[in-house]
Amino acid sequence: MEGLTFGPLSTLSSLVEELNPYRVAFLTNTTVERLWLEKASNWIEDPIKIVIPDGEEYKNVETVMAIWRRLQDEGFTRKSLLIGLGGGVLTDIAGFVASTYMRGTLLGLVPTTLLAQVDAAIGGKTGVNFNGKNMVGTFYLPNFVLIAHETLSTLPEEEVRNGLGEVAKYAILDRKIYALTKDFEGISETLIRECALFKAEVVEKDPEEKGMRRILNLGHTAGHAIEKLSSYGIKHGLAVAMGLAVASKIGEELYGFDSGKVEELLQGMGLPTRHPFGAGDIIREMRLDKKAWYGRIVFVVPVEIGEVVVEEVDEGVIRRALEATEDDSWSGGG
Ligand SMILES: NC(=O)c1ccc[n+]([C@@H]2O[C@H](COP(=O)([O-])OP(=O)(O)OC[C@H]3O[C@@H](n4cnc5c(N)ncnc54)[C@H](O)[C@@H]3O)[C@@H](O)[C@H]2O)c1
């Protein structure tokens, strides 16, 4: 994909130089500021530095307004560049601000979590929470995304695992990624690159999520419901892993997919393969999802590794898959 760069943080200076912006503003949060802002910005004299509090609860319109205000005060223009440095919360906010301030400014993203490097920072979806997750947002492609592997060196183990749920998803969608994850010994630069490129390629074919991009929802139909039922106590990546296990059981019943492969994959990555909720509760929650189509439940169903279909699935099949993957002794996963 155009705009996707893999390299050290020091690559930033040449990426910015190419855009020749009027001003440069870094947007980051308190955690990432402490760890990486100096290294990311020491090549440039006097950039604007905007630091927001850390947490999903700050991904809202109030934060966005504070950033707009600050940009205005600093004389930031349409020809200026906003660089979002941080995890998915930060890159979503940065994208939203850049797409709305003066009807769109230059935007660069430097994702610093595994989840943001393989997923959130790629594809141009931006947004903030507003009476629900990501209820307000835009599609806005950044001028560049720099994936700097070094930034993951400070990422807590829990956040690495959170990103692995998406990596496991890509492994089912793509044979090459599956081969890279088979005897999993930890996340590598190559694996991140392949996942990021895979998403970029899918998005390029369907930028506004009208068709093909829906395959990226693999594991998310049940995953989102599980996340919600746990009141977000089960982290996204783990819920997606559980959702992958459910989808693979559906694939097994409908297409003879070998769900053992997914179980092995998830276990190899230290991810859970069982969820703690009753089938009825999950089905009810899935019908309420914003992606459910007039209450009908659409699943991304694996047919084999590297091949999926997107279709409405009969409730009986879903119920059996949910029951086969339920484990009421689940206590935190992994
Ligand atoms: N736009 C999209 O297509 C898309 C896709 C998936 C997820 N998302 C969004 O992404 C968000 C989740 O992203 P996330 O999982 O990255 O969470 P996050 O941004 O909250 O980051 C997780 C934690 O890690 C910290 N952190 C970030 N980089 C670090 C580093 N290098 N070292 C140490 N700590 C670091 C953060 O400060 C935070 O505390 C959600 O809001 C979700 O809606 C968006």
Side-chain angles (χ1 to χ4, degrees):
M1 183 189 87
E2 216 186 317
L4 196 51
T5 302
F6 301 86
L9 273 179
S10 55
T11 319
L12 255 182
S13 65
S14 57
L15 288 169
V16 172
E17 203 173 301
E18 252 174 69
L19 292 172
N20 192 25
Y22 173 63
R23 300 274 323 255
V24 175
F26 281 87
L27 177 66
T28 191
N29 72 22
T30 44
T31 306
V32 181
E33 176 199 21
R34 188 168 43 79
L35 298 167
W36 295 105
L37 183 60
E38 171 58 26
K39 192 150 189 215
S41 65
N42 59 13
W43 51 274
I44 181 173
E45 217 175 291
D46 198 27
I48 304 164
K49 294 179 180 172
I50 306 175
V51 182
I52 62 174
D54 185 1
E56 177 82 34
E57 66 271 33
Y58 298 102
K59 187 178 156 181
N60 57 33
V61 196
E62 284 75 26
T63 301
V64 167
M65 287 201 296
I67 302 167
W68 283 335
R69 218 167 271 133
R70 179 73 195 283
L71 292 176
Q72 233 173 9
D73 290 347
E74 298 279 358
F76 199 80
T77 64
R78 299 194 60 193
K79 297 288 178 211
S80 299
L81 168 69
L82 183 67
I83 300 178
L85 173 74
V89 167
L90 207 290
T91 55
D92 271 9
I93 297 174
F96 185 71
V97 168
S99 72
T100 49
Y101 183 80
M102 291 192 176
R103 299 200 183 90
T105 72
L106 299 172
L107 170 67
L109 297 178
V110 186
T112 60
T113 62
L114 177 58
L115 184 104
Q117 294 192 348
V118 298
D119 188 3
I122 296 161
K125 276 197 199 175
T126 87
V128 292
N129 304 327
F130 184 77
N131 286 333
K133 265 201 75 143
N134 303 322
M135 286 302 290
V136 175
T138 56
F139 282 99
Y140 195 69
L141 281 174
N143 298 84
F144 67 78
V145 178
L146 172 63
I147 298 188
H149 192 66
E150 68 202 273
T151 59
L152 297 188
S153 63
T154 55
L155 196 65
E157 186 53 37
E158 191 194 1
E159 293 301 336
V160 175
R161 246 156 53 98
N162 194 36
L164 283 180
E166 300 295 338
V167 173
K169 174 187 83 178
Y170 294 126
I172 301 171
L173 291 172
D174 184 76
R175 282 198 195 94
K176 193 150 110 197
I177 298 175
Y178 180 73
L180 285 172
T181 50
K182 240 184 137 228
D183 300 304
F184 187 75
E185 280 178 359
I187 200 80
S188 67
E189 259 184 279
T190 315
L191 185 54
I192 292 174
R193 175 194 295 257
E194 289 302 327
C195 291
L197 288 172
F198 179 82
K199 176 162 182 189
E201 209 173 290
V202 171
V203 167
E204 208 158 59
K205 289 184 187 142
D206 177 22
E208 287 177 13
E209 202 164 26
K210 292 188 172 135
M212 162 124 183
R213 190 167 177 164
R214 290 187 304 170
I215 68 169
L216 299 173
N217 282 330
L218 175 63
H220 287 62
T221 313
H224 277 151
I226 291 166
E227 217 179 338
K228 271 209 186 144
L229 283 171
S230 76
S231 305
Y232 296 92
I234 297 179
K235 282 190 78 104
H236 180 74
L238 302 196
V240 167
M242 296 172 190
L244 292 173
V246 175
S248 71
K249 286 283 181 203
I250 293 176
E252 190 156 72
E253 177 166 339
L254 295 179
Y255 300 106
F257 175 73
D258 178 3
S259 70
K261 281 188 178 158
V262 169
E263 212 154 296
E264 242 172 56
L265 177 78
L266 295 174
Q267 278 165 356
M269 291 181 155
L271 293 169
T273 57
R274 297 282 179 271
H275 64 82
F277 299 110
D281 290 338
I282 297 182
I283 290 173
R284 198 171 319 116
E285 201 56 54
M286 287 194 293
R287 286 198 195 289
L288 294 172
D289 194 273
K290 71 173 186 285
K291 281 179 182 153
W293 207 40
Y294 302 107
R296 296 195 296 187
I297 305 173
V298 174
F299 262 90
V300 184
V301 185
V303 175
E304 56 180 293
I305 296 293
E307 189 190 340
V308 294
V309 290
V310 184
E311 63 186 14
E312 186 180 353
V313 176
D314 180 76
E315 188 172 317
V317 179
I318 300 174
R319 188 172 291 276
R320 282 190 288 281
L322 287 169
E323 281 165 1
T325 50
E326 184 181 345
D327 174 11
D328 41 26
S329 68
W330 195 82
S331 63

